[in-house]
Amino acid sequence: MNISRELTAKEKLKPLFDDPLKLSFGRNFTDHMFSMNYSGSGWHNPSIKPFQPLVLSPAANVFHYSQEVFEGQKAYKSKKNEILLFRPQENARRLNRSLQRLCMPEIPEELFLEAECELLKLEERWIPTQMGTSLYMRPTVIGTEAALGVKPSNEYLFYIILSPVGPYFKEGFNPIGLWVSDTYSRAGSGGTGEAKTGGNYAGSLLATREATQKGYSQVLWLDAGEHRFVEEVGAMNIFFILDGKLVTPALDGTILHGITRKSVLELAPELGLAVEERRIAIEEVIDEIHSGKLTEIFGAGTAAVISPVGKIAFQGRDHIINGNQTGPWAQKFFATLTGIQYGEIEDKHGWVFKVK
Ligand SMILES: *Cc1c(COP(=O)(O)O)cnc(C)c1O
């Protein structure tokens, strides 16, 4: 791919942050972005240029009919000064599955990876080095055609922006509280729950606001049909340690195919933990918390990697898991995954992709 480059003059580059450990999520952006356009003739015009506002028609498809999909990834700096990505081929594949679902044109995997690598090499100075910090990457595709008729856009924009981020857990690896929504659901059968698309998030904001107003950090989503079976936690996949096994809801069409989820499931047997992918009802979760067989709950996703759960509010009562303490398995998965991601634990699976 022949990427055109328009670079910011050296003296106009933004100053780096003073303390990467204090960076909040997704508020600071690097100097440059990647972008590429699609029209009837395919993807064209790949370019790297200064980070800048988009100019779009107010009638652009994305503003009205929400043709939008995205990815969330992190670039890490190893002690050997390498730039590392974690299973980016999986992100490329998932982006294409999301694009298909939203009736949008796919992006060849090698093109996607090349765009990421070229932008990262240019923006290397923005990758913070402290453990827990990283350069968050947000590849995004939007429908840009100015047409109010309901149909797929004929024109698209693919862009990648980068945002240096501090550690997700600023006050230590502490458990969060969940609120079970019995009114709202995140995704229905046959819907777009499996696609990483903005509309899923828009639909989840009201329930999340209710949860945070009640003092809980995230929503525990149940299935849309019966409001019974556990699906996800906030924008993370969910895991239970139940009867000494790792239990997680099976991918049924409404659950996002998390790459962290997939990695946890692949690591578990190696760490001596049997895996069960199946439906799990909220009543079972509550009963087994009280029977003592359910010893840990945690969420898994790129942003936090692993997020332990200490409390679940269901039908007006709080249920405490593991004395509201982070459990040993959450700890173990967090240490193993982050160790691999930063190049500090041997990468037996070939998950680490070296940009340079
Ligand atoms: C992105 C996302 C996840 C986590 O996926 P990862 O690939 O592990 O980051 C889980 N659930 C939802 C709804 C998501 O959007």
Side-chain angles (χ1 to χ4, degrees):
M1 172 171 49
N2 196 358
I3 305 176
S4 74
R5 285 169 183 251
E6 176 203 330
L7 302 187
T8 306
K10 248 205 172 98
E11 61 280 8
K12 292 209 172 126
L13 293 174
K14 299 177 201 169
L16 291 182
F17 30 76
D18 296 326
D19 186 359
L21 294 174
K22 292 207 185 104
L23 282 171
S24 45
F25 182 79
R27 294 192 171 269
N28 306 279
F29 299 95
T30 68
D31 294 291
H32 300 94
M33 62 194 283
F34 172 88
S35 82
M36 181 164 77
N37 300 93
Y38 180 92
S39 59
S41 54
W43 289 104
H44 56 86
N45 255 8
S47 74
I48 287 178
K49 58 190 183 187
F51 182 95
Q52 59 192 266
L54 305 176
V55 179
L56 295 175
S57 165
N61 174 299
V62 63
F63 300 134
H64 306 274
Y65 309 124
S66 300
Q67 275 189 304
E68 189 267 3
V69 307
F70 65 96
E71 272 302 318
Q73 297 169 258
K74 284 173 169 177
Y76 307 89
K77 205 63 184 277
S78 74
K79 288 215 174 83
K80 289 187 260 172
N81 208 34
E82 301 151 315
I83 304 175
L84 305 179
L85 297 179
F86 185 69
R87 312 186 79 173
Q89 302 90 340
E90 296 284 343
N91 295 93
R93 272 176 227 139
R94 184 172 66 190
L95 181 73
N96 281 331
R97 284 202 302 270
S98 301
L99 287 168
Q100 273 174 16
R101 180 63 184 83
L102 275 282
C103 224
M104 298 163 75
E106 291 181 44
I107 298 172
E109 280 173 36
E110 36 330 318
L111 230 130
F112 173 86
L113 287 175
E114 190 184 343
E116 292 199 329
C117 290
E118 289 309 306
L119 185 62
L120 282 170
K121 282 189 267 183
L122 176 69
E123 300 291 64
E124 181 171 4
R125 71 184 188 107
W126 286 98
I127 311 175
T129 52
Q130 288 95 326
M131 194 64 184
T133 65
S134 60
L135 188 58
Y136 185 79
M137 312 164 65
R138 177 51 64 91
T140 308
V141 190
I142 55 175
T144 53
E145 189 185 6
L148 294 181
V150 181
K151 61 168 188 57
S153 177
N154 284 312
E155 293 158 19
Y156 296 87
L157 175 69
F158 168 50
Y159 61 83
I160 306 172
I161 51 175
L162 306 175
S163 171
V165 294
Y168 190 87
F169 297 100
K170 293 207 173 20
E171 286 98 41
F173 191 39
N174 293 323
I176 58 168
L178 303 185
W179 181 70
V180 179
S181 176
D182 42 24
T183 3
Y184 303 111
S185 45
R186 193 192 79 88
S189 164
T192 55
E194 267 185 9
K196 222 169 167 67
T197 180
N200 292 340
Y201 282 74
S204 74
L205 296 176
L206 187 57
T208 309
R209 180 154 73 191
E210 287 186 17
T212 50
Q213 280 169 349
K214 292 180 169 75
Y216 300 88
S217 14
Q218 293 287 350
V219 174
L220 180 61
W221 297 105
L222 303 180
D223 75 289
E226 298 177 59
H227 287 291
R228 231 188 119 203
F229 296 99
V230 173
E231 298 208 322
E232 296 202 53
V233 43
M236 290 182 282
N237 295 112
I238 189 163
F239 287 92
F240 304 90
I241 303 288
L242 175 55
D243 245 341
K245 279 183 282 195
L246 182 70
V247 182
T248 193
L251 300 174
D252 64 345
T254 61
I255 294 171
L256 195 107
H257 293 218
I259 296 161
T260 319
R261 175 187 184 279
K262 185 173 182 170
S263 308
V264 166
L265 288 176
E266 288 169 29
L267 281 175
E270 295 166 27
L271 299 173
L273 189 58
V275 167
E276 231 173 68
E277 286 180 78
R278 62 169 170 90
R279 296 222 288 183
I280 176 161
I282 185 67
E283 296 87 358
E284 179 182 358
V285 171
I286 302 299
D287 288 350
E288 300 297 11
I289 291 173
H290 294 286
S291 77
K293 284 194 208 152
L294 201 167
T295 52
E296 286 187 51
I297 303 181
F298 53 88
T302 296
V305 187
I306 299 291
S307 179
V309 173
K311 182 169 80 173
I312 293 184
F314 179 58
Q315 293 177 342
R317 260 193 76 194
D318 276 352
H319 304 271
I320 306 293
I321 304 108
N322 193 40
N324 200 21
Q325 300 296 311
T326 298
W329 283 110
Q331 202 86 53
K332 182 86 190 155
F333 282 114
F334 182 78
T336 310
L337 283 167
T338 53
I340 296 171
Q341 288 164 343
Y342 287 88
E344 285 174 17
I345 293 181
E346 189 200 341
D347 173 29
K348 284 185 282 191
H349 307 85
W351 287 345
V352 174
F353 178 95
K354 203 152 73 171
V355 175
K356 70 137 251 198

